[in-house]
Amino acid sequence: MDRLRWEQKKPIYDALGLTFSKEQEAVLRWEGRFPVISGGERSGKSFVSAAELLPHVLYLPHLKADEFLNPDGSPKFKRNYRPRNPHFVIFGPTYSEPRIEFQYLEGWLRDLGALIDEGPNKPSKPQQGPWKLVTKHGVVVSTWSMEDPRSIRGIDLEGAVVAEAGLCPYDGIERVQGRVSAKRGFIIYSGTMENSHQWLKDWVRIGKRDNDIGIKSFVIPTWANLHEFPGGENDPEILRLKAFYPEDIFLMRVAGEPAPLRNRVIPEFTENHIVSLNVPHDAEMYIAVDPGYASAYAVLFVARMYHEGRRIFYVCDEIYERGKITEEIISLCRRSKYWGMLTTTKEGAIDIAAKAHDSNESVLEKWRAYAPEIKVWHYSWWPEARLIERLRTSAKNMEILISPK
């Protein structure tokens, strides 16, 4: 099921008197399949996730009338029939976390007169285990625990919410993706950065730019909850928390942002350095090689080009592989659309260790033999501290930019 347009959802919100901050509404207006919500404490991320799910639960019978409706428009669903498989699931690391979103949804459906509230299909909410509700048209919503990711099977979902996503194992995240594939369903990921697994922190960063996995990240800070903090970012309580918490804790717990990695070798590189640029045909193209095998073999294509009136280095492509020999790496490099541009500059840089010989040819000799287009190789030794200092200075001055691809 495709995500609905804002124009389809808003009448439902208006009927319930629901209002949203601009940060919350941005999630609801986006129509992509995989929004990733990073929220501060009490930012309303559970409220937004449930609000996104609500219109889809209501619209599904009308979008799939053959499945849900009789020719006269009445529901096919029989009140005494107990449906087995859900159409929508709210996942969580355990059964406890999805209950907040479930309770929002249950209350709204009841207010709209769409919920079966008696008989065998009334909401089921045991103290332990999954919760379930059924609408008067037979749409089923359940909660599901990821304590055992292998249990996520045997269902094809129209859509899903992953509550406290950062506490969920990545194996479970992969399995949920498989459960929505058949129906091209959507998944709303929602969580906080504090104590979250690295995969969610990475997704929040990746989702801020164009990417190949279809996600878009939305940050909802605590101060977006104007009911609790009417002064917004300048609310006295927010300012007190900013003064009280260390910077990284404030970023995660209140601002909803991933904290900067403390062990980065070059902290000057930030998300601002990751941009999509077109490489002009007359750019100078260079290749940088760091040989390896088990530890990884890395190759960068670096364009020397003009951007906003000044010359920069733009890392436009990368080969990063483990367990491959030099000849295989060169073959992969030749597939890059930038390989042909090397015939102009004919220069590359390679780790000085590439000159070392074992019983066979050195890595440098192999590059010269299998990539004769590159006429000049630079492999002088520089002290590591000096190289890092040079990179830090260049990063600070925005002289190096990196493609998100």
Side-chain angles (χ1 to χ4, degrees):
M1 180 182 187
D2 293 333
R3 286 182 70 202
L4 299 171
R5 301 188 311 275
W6 170 254
E7 293 75 18
Q8 296 171 289
K9 294 182 279 192
K10 192 175 185 302
I12 296 172
Y13 302 146
D14 290 345
L16 292 166
L18 302 183
T19 58
F20 307 94
S21 69
K22 63 179 182 179
E23 293 91 348
Q24 295 167 344
E25 188 174 311
V27 179
L28 302 173
R29 283 183 174 274
W30 189 60
E31 298 177 16
R33 292 176 62 190
F34 306 120
V36 179
I37 305 170
S38 171
E41 293 179 338
R42 301 191 62 79
S43 62
K45 56 188 180 296
S46 297
F47 171 74
V48 172
S49 298
E52 176 61 33
L53 195 57
L54 173 66
H56 297 85
V57 173
L58 295 171
Y59 265 92
L60 180 63
H62 306 284
L63 296 175
K64 297 193 172 183
D66 290 346
E67 180 181 346
F68 288 92
L69 302 178
N70 292 311
D72 62 358
S74 62
K76 288 183 178 181
F77 182 70
K78 306 299 181 183
R79 295 291 183 91
N80 59 353
Y81 170 72
R82 288 197 173 192
R84 181 176 180 182
N85 290 330
H87 299 93
F88 300 93
V89 168
I90 308 172
F91 292 93
T94 70
Y95 282 116
S96 298
E97 290 80 6
R99 291 177 177 177
I100 299 174
E101 287 83 355
F102 185 97
Q103 289 172 326
Y104 274 127
L105 191 64
E106 177 190 4
W108 292 332
L109 290 170
R110 182 176 289 115
D111 290 344
L112 293 170
L115 183 69
I116 295 180
D117 230 349
E118 58 185 16
N121 286 312
K122 68 180 181 180
S124 172
K125 299 191 290 184
Q127 188 172 356
Q128 301 292 331
W131 287 8
K132 185 175 78 171
L133 62 80
V134 184
T135 73
K136 292 179 179 179
H137 282 87
V139 179
V140 181
V141 182
S142 298
T143 63
W144 204 300
S145 169
M146 286 197 194
E147 290 174 290
D148 180 7
R150 295 171 299 178
S151 70
I152 305 172
R153 63 181 187 273
I155 51 172
D156 288 319
L157 301 175
E158 302 286 351
V161 171
V162 181
E164 293 300 339
L167 303 180
C168 295
Y170 193 68
D171 184 20
I173 299 302
E174 291 178 323
R175 289 173 182 269
V176 175
Q177 281 278 339
R179 296 299 94 204
V180 301
S181 292
K183 296 185 177 181
R184 305 301 189 271
F186 60 87
I187 307 172
I188 304 157
Y189 302 92
S190 174
T192 57
M193 290 294 96
E194 190 171 17
N195 299 321
S196 70
H197 291 301
Q198 188 62 43
W199 73 263
L200 182 61
K201 296 176 183 177
D202 292 341
W203 277 24
V204 170
R205 293 188 179 98
I206 293 169
K208 290 183 178 181
R209 56 184 186 267
D210 293 340
N211 58 82
D212 296 328
I213 57 177
I215 63 174
K216 182 176 177 64
S217 59
F218 298 86
V219 175
I220 305 180
T222 298
W223 58 80
N225 185 345
L226 297 177
H227 297 288
E228 300 284 347
F229 307 98
E233 189 172 359
N234 294 315
D235 189 274
E237 184 64 10
I238 297 296
L239 295 177
R240 186 190 71 81
L241 292 174
K242 189 172 185 179
F244 177 78
Y245 286 135
E247 181 183 6
D248 57 340
I249 299 299
F250 180 82
L251 281 172
M252 292 186 293
R253 195 173 294 176
V254 182
E257 294 276 5
L261 299 175
R262 293 180 175 180
N263 59 348
R264 288 186 298 172
V265 176
I266 307 175
E268 285 77 11
F269 279 110
T270 68
E271 295 166 3
N272 294 330
H273 290 80
I274 303 173
V275 295
S276 293
L277 300 177
N278 292 321
V279 178
H281 64 86
D282 59 348
E284 299 173 9
M285 187 64 62
Y286 301 91
I287 192 170
V289 181
D290 185 12
Y293 185 75
S295 61
Y297 205 127
V299 180
L300 300 179
F301 287 82
V302 183
R304 186 75 163 129
M305 54 188 270
Y306 281 95
H307 174 60
E308 296 181 348
R310 64 195 188 108
R311 296 191 77 187
I312 63 162
F313 291 100
Y314 184 53
V315 182
C316 52
D317 201 1
E318 176 190 37
I319 308 295
Y320 188 90
E321 297 285 346
R322 284 186 171 88
K324 293 192 183 302
I325 61 176
T326 296
E327 292 89 329
E328 293 174 305
I329 294 295
I330 294 173
S331 179
L332 290 174
C333 288
R334 289 185 178 278
R335 299 178 193 174
S336 170
K337 64 180 181 180
Y338 300 110
W339 180 264
M341 298 179 69
L342 290 168
T343 58
T344 302
T345 52
K346 303 178 182 179
E347 292 188 41
I350 196 166
D351 191 312
I352 193 171
K355 292 177 63 180
H357 281 266
D358 52 20
S359 57
N360 300 309
E361 294 176 298
S362 70
V363 170
L364 179 56
E365 288 171 339
K366 290 180 179 179
W367 272 95
R368 283 174 169 161
Y370 294 101
E373 299 94 329
I374 305 172
K375 303 297 184 184
V376 179
W377 284 99
H378 300 277
Y379 46 81
S380 299
W381 182 83
W382 282 40
E384 182 176 319
R386 187 177 173 188
L387 286 171
I388 292 175
E389 181 183 357
R390 176 67 263 175
L391 287 171
R392 294 185 68 175
T393 301
S394 296
K396 186 175 181 179
N397 294 328
M398 301 297 288
E399 295 171 349
I400 301 175
L401 300 178
I402 305 167
S403 167
K405 302 295 185 180

